């Protein structure tokens, strides 16, 4: 019997209770993702919400299949196709 919650097994809110089994693991930070937590599944890889929030656009956009570019003078349309 637990000394904190006086239950066997521990109540889920007891500090001595074991962590619930994880659903998956974040590819970036390697932390477990537990039931009820939101995460992204991109090209077969899982990312926790925190890592997605912290990811710079230049890293996130290519993961989503897009291109992250830097505009340059050569990109200005001058009216000619040549």
């Amino acid at each position: 019997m637990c000394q904190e919650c006086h239950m066997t097994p521990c109540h889920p809110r007891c500090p001595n209770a074991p962590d619930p089994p994880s659903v998956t693991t974040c590819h970036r930070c390697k932390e477990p993702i537990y039931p009820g937590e939101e995460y992204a599944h991109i090209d077969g890889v899982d990312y926790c919400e925190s890592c997605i929030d912290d990811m710079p656009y230049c890293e996130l956009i290519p993961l989503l299949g897009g291109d992250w570019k830097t505009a340059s003078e050569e990109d200005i349309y001058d009216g000619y196709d040549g």
Side-chain angles (χ1 to χ4, degrees):
M1 180 184 292
C2 177
Q3 298 297 323
E4 289 287 319
C5 67
H6 305 289
M7 297 179 77
T8 304
C10 287
H11 187 277
R13 295 181 121 178
C14 176
N16 294 332
D19 288 331
S22 64
V23 173
T24 187
T25 302
C26 177
H27 179 73
R28 194 167 192 219
C29 70
K30 309 300 185 216
E31 291 292 319
I33 298 171
Y34 295 108
E37 295 180 334
E38 294 182 335
Y39 69 99
H41 183 78
I42 303 170
D43 284 340
V45 180
D46 298 325
Y47 298 91
C48 69
E49 184 177 15
S50 178
C51 284
I52 288 290
D53 287 344
D54 292 342
M55 213 175 275
Y57 292 137
C58 63
E59 190 176 331
L60 181 62
I61 298 301
L63 281 177
L64 299 173
D67 295 319
W68 188 255
K69 299 180 177 186
T70 301
S72 66
E73 297 260 340
E74 291 81 30
D75 295 330
I76 297 173
Y77 180 67
D78 62 3
Y80 298 102
D81 287 338

